[in-house]
């Protein structure tokens, strides 16, 4: 008797979670140490010391009504100011408090941004394969249609010809994710500049705004020597969606923000519109203690070096074993080619060696698989023979 | 260019918040001490010591990946078990972990419950005046229509004749709030039993479930001698929506739950359906640290005695001044009759004496006004001459 759409959604379960649940079951059978669980993008390192210190200081020094009291529905003013100032300093922007809306993680940020830009049934959002599978429920829940640009599998930048074919007057937003889950690549200056040019032209042609929704929870997870361009600096109509989940390893605390470009068409009202969306879903605001805590250590990160170390090992060893792979520039993911065209069958076969991998088709990009290497390095090393034996099945 | 419905919603601003914002402005002019701000239902006491202790112990003893890591999307298992056990012990229920869904406060709980029971445009939810004004956006946001049973102003129990007239096959849920904001009354055993009888009969007549959504954030705020019946024990198809905001004075931390009655028609699937709703809005789960903390002190409350003390003073003095009022049995609200039929004009006039009151029409019950007496007792006492002078304007 409950809403049939939500009941039905249970049948489209998150594939990533299904692999993870299999891993839990298998670990109970043969021991957690014997499973190489590369399924979940779950940070595996401690939060930064400054975050611990911030929590302790706030709890010790401030009164309960300040720390645990209602947050204004757009977020605590001083926190929004601190976020704006940090973005301005780091990326040469001009955000003010009014442009920052505090959310429950990047998921909440993206979902709010989508609801703000979608108006009528049939309105479209374009994204790019490979893409985070939960974009689908966010867009559909907001009443829109997600259309997916096929992947450019040579470098996982944008396949612009395919992208332009998908553009039409119903497109209200374009959703990008850089550094990318699952490919691990960072969109280049050339990619972002060309994307901005196309969107600028299409806005003119269609006579309405097309918002670029930039999902950037991995912004701080880039590897040595990689420069990450700030998406919003290329295109005014950008909503920048961020989460502290990955950079500070606090995914359970659900804290992030949307930053509204000060020169965007709706710069003066967007945050208030997001507030109305929150009001309707009964969400109100992210936890006040966490808002206050992250504001004290906005630019700090966990010790993320383990991810780079794991990447070095895997990106050295796997291609040598026959797994072709675009070089990851950040995140804790890589996205090699599966050794048979059917990536689901490939990932099934990998289970024989206790390797838990996620099929690329879950990300709209068949023929690949995702490795989430946010696991201890010793386990990465121990998993290499399993990857070798799996490769031998195919390549002899 | 942003979604016009949300842009338009800004024009239907929360009246309570408007009064509060006026108060802030006025306080800046004449000093906070000179304002009698009875507008907001914002807890004014510290969190319980056991909550502080729980936070400190968790942060000191447990590793970051446990404390700040992803929560399962329905809530942390041990927390759901603890909530179920506590409700079973206190209210003679038989909840299991699978019946508890952790939410971001009662607002999140009610909004999820509404989305779960509403199916098609035109489906209806019935509530009872006086009612919390944010029910309107929750119901409309879920695609439903809110119909309001006129108040029974003698005792603020249910006006059953009026209620039965509103029932029809489009009604999918009935939304109650006991102890009631703004009336401060508790629904009696007789009220809940009769409500259950009517709903049971109508379910049979219409051939579908009608869910009772019981919004109970004030359950722990009842005054001496008052027994509060547990709504779900009267009717199987009940979703009990709770928040720790008021009982523990932690409204900023956004933590609550929905408890699904074990004998309800959808007992096995409801929590999973709520999970799909969360997935779609990008909300995922309430903060993990707060889940873990409240689980350690589920039955503790702040020292709530100040609310009862304030109630004693106001309920002794105001009726003597001519403000007719039903006796509050809990919450930190009371809901006297305004001294002129136009409650908005009455509340405007009250501002002359620096009294900030919320018009009853904001709660669907004109001719009354709400007093939120979660303020220091000394201020309540200092406000009495203002109430007297206001009464003298009307009664001479």
């Amino acid at each position: 008797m409950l809403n049939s759409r939500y009941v039905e959604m249970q049948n489209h379960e998150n594939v990533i979670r299904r692999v993870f649940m299999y891993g839990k079951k298998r670990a109970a059978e043969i021991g957690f140490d014997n499973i190489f669980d590369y399924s979940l993008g779950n940070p595996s390192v401690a939060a930064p010391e400054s975050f611990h210190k911030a929590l302790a200081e706030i709890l010790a020094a401030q009164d309960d009504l300040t720390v645990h009291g209602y947050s204004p529905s757009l977020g605590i003013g001083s926190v929004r100011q601190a976020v704006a100032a940090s973005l301005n300093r780091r990326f040469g922007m001009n955000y003010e408090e009014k442009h920052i809306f505090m959310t429950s993680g990047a998921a909440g940020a993206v979902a709010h941004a989508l609801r703000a830009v979608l108006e009528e049934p049939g309105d479209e959002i374009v994204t790019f394969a490979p893409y985070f599978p939960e974009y689908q429920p966010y867009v559909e829940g907001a009443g829109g249609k997600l259309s997916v640009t096929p992947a450019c599998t040579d470098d996982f930048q944008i396949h612009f010809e395919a992208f332009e074919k998908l553009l039409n007057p119903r497109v209200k937003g374009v959703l990008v994710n850089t550094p990318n889950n699952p490919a691990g690549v960072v969109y280049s200056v050339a990619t972002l500049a060309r994307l901005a040019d196309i969107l600028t032209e299409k806005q003119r042609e269609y006579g309405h705004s097309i918002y670029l929704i930039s999902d950037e929870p991995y912004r701080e997870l880039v590897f040595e020597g990689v420069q990450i361009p700030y998406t919003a600096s290329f295109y005014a109509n950008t909503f920048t969606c961020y989460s502290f989940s990955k950079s500070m390893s606090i995914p359970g605390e659900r804290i992030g923000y949307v930053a509204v470009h000060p020169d965007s068409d709706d710069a003066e009202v967007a945050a208030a519109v997001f507030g109305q969306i929150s009001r309707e879903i009964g969400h109100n605001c992210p936890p006040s203690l966490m808002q206050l805590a992250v504001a004290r250590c906005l630019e700090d990160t966990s010790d993320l070096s383990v991810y780079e170390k794991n990447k070095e090992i895997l990106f050295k060893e796997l291609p040598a074993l026959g797994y072709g792979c675009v070089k990851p520039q950040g995140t804790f993911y890589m996205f090699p080619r599966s050794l048979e065209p059917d990536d689901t069958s490939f990932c099934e076969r990998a289970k024989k060696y206790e390797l838990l991998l996620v099929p690329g088709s879950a990300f709209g990009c068949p023929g690949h698989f995702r490795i989430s290497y946010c696991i201890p390095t010793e386990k990465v090393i121990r998993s290499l023979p399993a990857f070798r034996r799996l490769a031998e099945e195919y390549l002899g």
Side-chain angles (χ1 to χ4, degrees), chain A:
Chain A
M1 286 305 306
L2 296 182
N3 185 297
S4 54
R5 192 163 65 83
Y6 295 118
V7 171
E8 210 270 333
M9 265 174 83
Q10 294 179 83
N11 303 327
H12 303 275
E13 210 204 354
N14 192 320
V15 175
I16 301 166
R17 194 156 280 268
R18 196 191 309 148
V19 178
F20 170 69
M21 294 311 285
Y22 166 83
K24 278 183 83 136
K25 188 175 130 278
R26 188 70 182 137
E29 290 163 14
I30 63 162
F32 176 72
D33 268 5
N34 301 312
I35 300 285
F36 306 116
D37 184 354
Y38 284 110
S39 67
L40 270 199
N42 200 356
S44 60
V45 296
E49 214 28 69
S50 55
F51 175 77
H52 293 148
K53 191 160 161 277
L55 277 182
E57 284 178 0
I58 293 165
L59 290 170
Q62 295 185 24
D63 72 288
D64 279 13
L65 303 187
T66 307
V67 178
H68 304 302
Y70 276 116
S71 156
S73 48
L74 309 191
I76 297 170
S78 61
V79 175
R80 298 167 70 197
Q81 281 165 31
V83 168
S86 169
L87 290 174
N88 295 346
R89 201 190 60 71
R90 293 180 62 202
F91 304 115
M93 300 293 292
N94 295 297
Y95 294 115
E96 296 170 41
E97 175 184 333
K98 67 182 175 187
H99 301 120
I100 308 297
F101 176 78
M102 301 305 296
T103 66
S104 85
V110 171
H112 274 72
L114 290 167
R115 280 170 193 251
V117 303
L118 289 164
E119 172 83 38
E120 286 165 11
D123 278 357
E124 297 177 20
I125 299 292
V126 181
T127 195
F128 304 90
Y131 68 98
F132 181 51
E134 296 301 285
Y135 289 167
Q136 195 80 48
Y138 302 161
V139 171
E140 287 176 2
K145 174 178 166 280
L146 182 68
S147 67
V148 179
T149 312
C152 185
T153 55
D154 294 345
D155 59 4
F156 294 121
Q157 298 290 317
I158 289 178
H159 190 322
F160 280 105
E161 292 70 27
F163 171 61
E164 292 197 69
K165 280 191 196 134
L166 292 175
L167 293 176
N168 70 72
R170 303 307 302 265
V171 172
K172 297 296 178 67
V174 170
L175 179 49
V176 294
N177 174 218
T178 172
N180 182 262
N181 169 13
V185 304
V186 168
Y187 279 176
S188 67
V189 167
T191 295
L192 292 171
R194 186 163 168 196
L195 178 62
D197 283 349
I198 294 170
L199 294 181
T200 303
E201 190 196 308
K202 290 295 173 184
Q203 288 193 133
R204 204 177 301 122
E205 184 182 331
Y206 304 151
H208 63 71
S209 315
I210 304 175
Y211 273 92
L212 182 59
I213 299 169
S214 182
D215 180 23
E216 312 184 353
Y218 300 98
R219 190 172 63 210
E220 267 53 79
L221 283 71
V222 285
F223 301 139
E224 214 189 316
V226 176
Q227 287 294 324
I228 170 148
Y230 187 67
T231 306
S233 64
F234 292 80
Y235 183 68
N237 278 344
T238 300
F239 293 144
T240 300
C241 300
Y242 188 72
S243 167
F244 296 93
S245 295
K246 315 293 179 177
S247 59
M248 290 197 192
S249 302
I250 53 169
E253 305 304 356
R254 316 306 308 140
I255 175 85
Y257 58 79
V258 186
V260 177
H261 195 300
D263 300 330
S264 62
D265 296 339
D266 303 278
E268 299 303 309
V269 299
V273 165
F274 299 148
Q276 296 300 329
I277 294 168
S278 280
R279 183 183 175 194
E280 178 181 279
I281 61 178
H283 176 243
N284 301 116
C285 49
S288 32
L289 174 61
M290 290 301 150
Q291 290 189 56
L292 296 168
V294 297
R296 288 186 178 217
C297 47
L298 280 176
E299 299 182 13
D300 296 339
T301 69
S302 299
D303 176 358
L304 305 169
S305 60
V306 63
Y307 305 141
E308 183 151 11
K309 197 165 173 184
N310 291 349
K311 185 269 293 180
E312 292 292 335
I313 295 167
L314 288 166
F315 189 68
K316 176 164 169 276
E317 300 294 337
L318 294 197
L321 292 172
Y323 300 93
C325 188
V326 172
K327 185 177 185 177
Q329 299 167 288
T331 75
F332 37 56
Y333 306 112
M334 59 196 289
F335 200 57
R337 283 178 198 279
S338 53
L339 298 181
E340 59 178 305
D342 182 339
D343 49 303
T344 304
S345 145
F346 172 79
C347 292
E348 273 306 308
R349 194 178 288 210
K351 285 184 186 167
K352 207 180 348 171
Y353 305 98
E354 312 303 348
L355 280 172
L356 306 189
L357 311 170
V358 182
S361 32
F363 305 91
C365 189
H368 294 74
F369 64 99
R370 187 184 78 170
I371 302 179
S372 293
Y373 46 84
C374 39
I375 66 171
T377 302
E378 69 83 19
K379 218 167 191 179
V380 171
I381 293 168
R382 280 201 290 119
S383 76
L384 295 174
F387 278 111
R388 197 189 56 237
R389 277 180 290 149
L390 177 61
E392 282 165 2
E393 282 210 24
Y394 290 95
L395 310 167

